[in-house]
Amino acid sequence: MRGGLTPLPTKAIVFDLDGVLVDSFGVMRQAFTVAYREVVGPGEPPFAEYSKHLGRFFPDIMRIMGLPLAMQEPFVRESYRLADQVRMFDGVPDLLHSLRAGGFGLAVATGKSGPRARSLLDGLGVLELFDHVLGSDEVANAKPAPDIVLRAMELLGVGPDETMMIGDAVTDLASARAAGVAAVAALWGESDPAGLLAAEPDAILHAPGELLALCRGGSLA
């Protein structure tokens, strides 16, 4: 694990969405709670356990947790209904504009479905800053498989030695590694820092703006 990569001939950056670009944790908690109570019934929704699997496709998380796949419909419904409560992290809009001005290829590779991710980014006014926004429903195998990162690289026309993946979950880092790209941990959201550091990312970012220095091959503390 290193604080910076030198040199790092980056041409393209693939971002996870939740916890990296947008602060959606509160909305996810509300949507999960409603879905659990509608489908499962009374009792404490196991959101803490759910949050350990963020980065994965929702149906995959349900299978891992042994919860009904029927929770997906109310979860998605509530996520759309509450979408206006989602905000971008401080510094992210400026970062995206700077990266776009610098000529970097930008993509999103998320555990969300593609339509939901694009709708959310469109509502936040930043969809046009990305060359491609991919959801887990648009590849054969969701993270931690490499499919979504490989597809992003294919669409961007870049190779693994020119690409980095920014994620806030071990699942993201595993997907990046499997695709052969630099795996970069984002620590500004609701992620578990200890778990991410234990996964030995290639670089660690404490704030969105630090990515600019990393893209220039600078050394980050």
Side-chain angles (χ1 to χ4, degrees), residues 1-14:
M1 177 178 60
R2 292 167 285 173
L5 296 177
T6 306
L8 191 61
T10 304
K11 291 185 178 179
I13 303 159
V14 181

Side-chain angles (χ1 to χ4, degrees), residues 4 9 13-14 17 35 38 55 78 91 97 99 103 109 112 121 127 138 142 153 157 187 189 202 206 208 216 218:
I13 303 159
V14 181
L17 180 57
E38 283 189 13
E78 290 301 296
H97 283 285
L99 292 172
K112 277 183 166 57
L121 290 169
L127 180 60
E138 296 169 329
M153 285 194 290
L187 300 185
D202 295 302
H206 301 278
R216 291 192 292 264

Side-chain angles (χ1 to χ4, degrees), residues 66 74 96 111 159 173:
L96 295 176
L173 303 183

Side-chain angles (χ1 to χ4, degrees), residues 56-173:
R56 294 179 181 268
F57 195 26
F58 188 86
D60 292 341
I61 299 177
M62 295 299 96
R63 294 185 188 99
I64 291 169
M65 295 181 65
L67 291 173
L69 292 178
M71 283 182 59
Q72 182 173 18
E73 188 281 325
F75 180 84
V76 171
R77 182 196 72 223
E78 290 301 296
S79 296
Y80 272 112
R81 185 179 69 83
L82 300 167
D84 62 349
Q85 297 181 23
V86 175
R87 296 289 181 266
M88 303 197 80
F89 285 106
D90 289 344
V92 166
D94 289 342
L95 168 66
L96 295 176
H97 283 285
S98 295
L99 292 172
R100 174 56 68 196
F104 292 95
L106 302 180
V108 170
T110 175
K112 277 183 166 57
S113 71
R116 192 151 66 93
R118 290 186 286 271
S119 174
L120 179 60
L121 290 169
D122 189 36
L124 290 166
V126 295
L127 180 60
E128 71 280 0
L129 296 177
F130 296 97
D131 298 290
H132 304 283
V133 176
L134 300 173
S136 290
D137 61 324
E138 296 169 329
V139 292
N141 302 290
K143 292 183 271 186
D147 300 34
I148 197 166
V149 181
L150 293 172
R151 179 57 176 157
M153 285 194 290
E154 179 185 10
L155 292 170
L156 291 166
V158 294
D161 58 343
E162 303 169 315
T163 308
M164 66 171 73
M165 167 79 183
I166 317 297
D168 71 322
V170 172
T171 301
D172 299 317
L173 303 183

